[in-house]
Amino acid sequence: MSRVVVTGRVPDAAVEKLRAAHEVDAWQGPESIGREELLRRVAGADAVVSLLTERIDAELLDAAGPQLKVVANVAVGYDNIDVPACTERGIVATNTPGVLTDATADIAFGLILMATRRLGEGERLIRSGQAWKWGMFFLLGSSLQGKTLGVVGMGGIGQATARRAKAFGMEIVYQSRSEIDPGIATELGARRVELDELLTVSDVVSLHCPYGPATHHLIGAEQLTAMKSSAYLVNTARGPIVDEAALASALREGRIAGAGLDVFEHEPQVHPELLELDNVVLVPHLGSATVETRTAMAMLAADNVLAVLSGERPPAPIGGEAVPTGRGQR
């Protein structure tokens, strides 16, 4: 029986699935686990089930010890994991792609609607108790029909967001490292362009690319200036893809019309200038926040762990690598 450490609260079904085969040490505190406590708990672990709030780096891997075989991230993004450090030590790193596609696309399109139709402003107005009266020019927003959605990162979530936009009568352009399946491109009427062109032609820019050195501040002052003054920016990927200070400046000066953010550059902190602006919708990383999706994520992470500990290929290895044997068995 192997020892599995779960670094944060996950749905009980996943913990029980792991516990049926292995010893499980699951953090149950109301707050995220502290770094020192995390390093102490992982010592001697054969598997670590991590949340995106935990940094899985060389220090932690070495604190766990040479028997560690797998790190299973309960997220599709894995910028919190030092994957090369895992590979160097023969540790399998996994994530949870696919199961959160629709939930995140729903949030992305929800933010598009909230920003373009000024729903956040309207809700705040009602709650404030201020007097208001219907009028022809009261809280006018922007329609989506006939407008262009620019998708940056046309993976599963980007494609799902594009399908929702297509249903609203939007045209689709996208920027991605490679062409998408021709059948999907035809279905969506999607055209691949370079980022510079996407920014200039899009009425809404939605970010779905992975975060890494190449995409840090991918959207900064220069890119925001290239966008239409009537355009909107939506980010449900990772916060540091956007330079928040530059975004706040662009929104304040009217260089773009609005934005919707589910993720933040220094999460959970939000740039203070953004908090003062009415033309940005701010929600606290809710992309995968449905009961069904979070349960599916945790169960997939459990399946990844169980597969590796049984000497099998996990369902979702990061990068699709073959399963190493682990440092203790090399």
Side-chain angles (χ1 to χ4, degrees):
M1 182 177 288
S2 298
R3 180 167 176 267
V4 180
V5 172
V6 183
T7 68
R9 293 184 62 196
V10 300
D12 291 341
V15 175
E16 293 309 312
K17 188 170 190 175
L18 290 167
R19 192 165 276 148
H22 300 289
E23 175 192 342
V24 178
D25 178 1
W27 175 254
Q28 295 296 325
E31 304 293 335
S32 296
I33 189 170
R35 181 68 176 181
E36 292 305 314
E37 178 67 11
L38 176 60
L39 294 176
R40 185 186 70 78
R41 284 186 178 236
V42 299
D46 300 283
V48 172
V49 177
S50 59
L51 304 186
L52 58 82
T53 48
E54 277 72 67
R55 189 174 74 256
I56 309 300
D57 54 12
E59 179 188 36
L60 183 140
L61 300 176
D62 291 340
Q67 77 297 320
L68 183 63
K69 299 177 181 67
V70 56
V71 171
N73 213 36
V74 189
V76 64
Y78 49 87
D79 48 288
N80 60 309
I81 296 179
D82 187 337
V83 177
C86 289
T87 302
E88 179 185 339
R89 291 161 174 79
I91 299 165
V92 182
T94 70
N95 63 341
T96 59
V99 294
L100 46 63
T101 295
D102 283 323
T104 306
D106 285 347
I107 286 289
F109 209 77
L111 286 172
I112 291 171
L113 288 171
M114 289 186 71
T116 58
R117 294 299 303 274
R118 302 175 67 178
L119 301 182
E121 291 179 68
E123 205 261 356
R124 288 192 295 274
L125 177 65
I126 292 290
R127 287 186 180 276
S128 72
Q130 296 180 54
W132 62 277
K133 183 178 180 180
W134 185 91
M136 286 289 289
F137 300 96
F138 179 60
L139 281 180
L140 288 183
S142 175
S143 64
L144 297 177
Q145 292 75 16
K147 301 294 178 62
T148 297
L149 173 69
V151 179
V152 181
M154 197 63 154
I157 299 171
Q159 291 175 26
T161 303
R163 284 193 182 91
R164 286 153 175 76
K166 188 71 174 177
F168 273 73
M170 299 188 77
E171 302 294 325
I172 311 297
V173 297
Y174 74 95
Q175 184 269 330
S176 194
R177 287 175 293 184
S178 57
E179 295 274 0
I180 62 174
D181 179 271
I184 295 174
T186 299
E187 170 202 344
L188 297 173
R191 180 170 62 93
R192 186 184 180 206
V193 297
E194 295 300 323
L195 181 61
D196 289 348
E197 181 179 350
L198 181 146
L199 294 170
T200 60
V201 304
S202 297
D203 298 290
V204 178
V205 175
S206 191
L207 304 178
H208 302 284
C209 51
Y211 174 67
T215 57
H216 181 76
H217 284 186
L218 180 70
I219 304 299
E222 180 181 349
Q223 291 73 30
L224 292 163
T225 299
M227 292 172 63
K228 298 178 181 180
S229 60
S230 57
Y232 298 81
L233 177 72
V234 169
N235 186 12
T236 55
R238 285 291 185 266
I241 295 171
V242 176
D243 181 340
E244 282 188 8
L247 175 61
S249 177
L251 289 167
R252 185 178 61 252
E253 296 169 9
R255 286 185 278 122
I256 65 171
L261 305 177
D262 183 46
V263 289
F264 302 94
E265 187 172 357
H266 303 292
E267 197 167 304
Q269 285 75 37
V270 180
H271 195 287
E273 290 187 33
L274 292 175
L275 297 172
E276 300 170 359
L277 298 170
D278 272 331
N279 57 344
V280 57
V281 179
L282 308 168
V283 296
H285 208 138
L286 299 179
S288 63
T290 69
V291 171
E292 298 85 354
T293 300
R294 292 281 170 84
T295 299
M297 292 167 63
M299 293 298 278
L300 178 52
D303 288 341
N304 282 326
V305 167
L306 293 172
V308 174
L309 294 182
S310 297
E312 301 171 1
R313 181 183 179 84
I318 291 172
E321 305 93 339
V323 178
T325 57
R327 287 179 289 170
Q329 299 176 359
R330 284 199 299 181

